[in-house]
Amino acid sequence: ILIVGNYCHDTIITRSSRTDTLGGSAGYLVNVLDALGVESEVISKVGPDFAYRSRVSHPPVVVERSATTHFVADYTGAEDEDRVLRAVKVCDPIVSSDFGRARRSRYGIGLAAGVAGEILPEALERIIKLCDRVIVDLQALIRLIDPVTRVVKYRKLEDTEFYGMLDRVSFVKAAQSEAKYIDLENARQKTCVIVTNGDKGSTVYIKSKEYHVPAFPASELDPTGAGDSFLGGFTAGLYRGLSVEKAVVVGNYFGALAVSHVGIP
């Protein structure tokens, strides 16, 4: 499995604590795949300030002139409000030449798992060419960072260069809060769309069919990385030959484990 996306520094603020931890979709994905004994490779960039080299089993490329992407996730707002996510630092994007570091000429599954716009159209093109099946986390394609406030915002997928690539992608995973930025009825004709919705479970949309997979019960301490851990479990399930529905069950299981911990379990 080829994972493409930058490792991050995460600062997680709740009403009771402030925690600095390893972050980034790649960190959560590798954590799940390593636990299940599924072989993976990571293409990721960090700055020389990266604080978690000893914690990652797949070393990133260190960009000397840059800094590691750093997110601050603030959960101290009202209970009915979403977290406020700020990207206070952003590392360099991943470009075509970075794939020269890939150890293989083909991969069974490729994961476009960017968090701060580091997946460029040229990078997704390379993932598609290298991998038999491609799974995209919607956030990798639609996130924008306000240049003044540094708050993470979103754009509609249809307004990006990525939209024309959907029919060459096997799966798109979107959190419920992100799903409004994709034309679901059109997208499901091109690819399989999976929408995750926390303790309400996940829904799979493909062509004219859709079905719901219930969540596992969990005591939530920190929702950060739940979607990434879902994606790791789902990908591992597909890799092991499970049906899409059963792979979603595995994804839901690892998503529930993730919210029971602060940071990466």
Side-chain angles (χ1 to χ4, degrees):
I1 295 173
L2 178 66
I3 301 168
V4 183
N6 289 346
Y7 294 121
C8 303
H9 293 159
D10 277 357
T11 299
I12 300 168
I13 304 172
T14 68
R15 289 188 174 87
S16 60
S17 67
R18 180 186 178 102
T19 304
D20 293 312
T21 183
L22 171 66
S25 297
Y28 286 89
L29 289 165
V30 169
N31 183 51
V32 172
L33 296 178
D34 282 356
L36 292 173
V38 175
E39 185 181 1
S40 64
E41 184 177 338
V42 177
I43 296 177
S44 181
K45 287 181 174 177
V46 298
D49 59 334
F50 185 52
Y52 301 103
R53 298 182 192 187
S54 64
R55 284 195 58 188
V56 296
S57 56
H58 299 69
V61 174
V62 178
V63 183
E64 292 298 331
R65 67 183 183 281
S66 189
T68 301
T69 299
H70 183 180
F71 284 102
V72 177
D74 189 343
Y75 293 97
T76 60
E79 288 187 7
D80 59 346
E81 293 179 356
D82 291 334
R83 68 179 177 180
V84 176
L85 185 64
R86 290 184 173 86
V88 294
K89 296 179 183 178
V90 176
C91 195
D92 286 7
I94 294 166
V95 297
S96 292
S97 59
D98 293 318
F99 289 82
R101 301 174 62 87
R103 297 194 303 267
R104 298 174 181 268
S105 58
R106 293 296 300 173
Y107 295 84
I109 298 176
L111 278 162
V115 289
E118 70 268 27
I119 303 289
L120 302 179
E122 64 183 85
L124 184 56
E125 285 281 3
R126 288 301 302 273
I127 298 170
I128 290 170
K129 289 178 180 178
L130 283 170
C131 304
D132 297 332
R133 290 185 287 180
V134 175
I135 303 172
V136 173
D137 193 339
L138 184 62
Q139 69 178 12
L141 311 185
I142 65 171
R143 274 187 174 180
L144 294 172
I145 298 166
D146 187 288
V148 177
T149 65
R150 309 304 294 175
V151 171
V152 173
K153 298 182 177 181
Y154 300 96
R155 55 183 172 169
K156 289 186 176 296
L157 182 64
E158 292 75 22
D159 295 335
T160 73
E161 294 180 57
F162 299 109
Y163 187 68
M165 304 181 193
L166 275 190
D167 57 356
R168 293 185 287 155
V169 167
S170 302
F171 302 92
V172 173
K173 191 279 292 180
Q176 182 66 39
S177 60
E178 299 163 349
K180 60 186 176 182
Y181 296 96
I182 185 172
D183 186 330
L184 183 58
E185 292 309 311
N186 284 335
R188 68 194 291 186
Q189 303 305 316
K190 300 173 181 290
T191 186
C192 179
V193 181
I194 303 170
V195 178
T196 59
N197 194 16
D199 60 4
K200 296 178 178 62
S202 304
T203 305
V204 179
Y205 301 89
I206 179 69
K207 301 293 184 183
S208 60
K209 300 178 181 179
E210 63 186 72
Y211 52 88
H212 182 75
V213 181
F216 285 81
S219 299
E220 182 176 301
L221 294 178
D222 171 25
T224 307
D228 302 322
S229 296
F230 166 90
L231 203 53
F234 173 73
T235 302
L238 289 181
Y239 183 80
R240 292 278 174 82
L242 297 183
S243 67
V244 173
E245 184 171 1
K246 288 183 178 179
V248 172
V249 173
V250 181
N252 284 353
Y253 175 74
F254 280 97
L257 287 185
V259 302
S260 303
H261 298 260
V262 177
I264 296 178

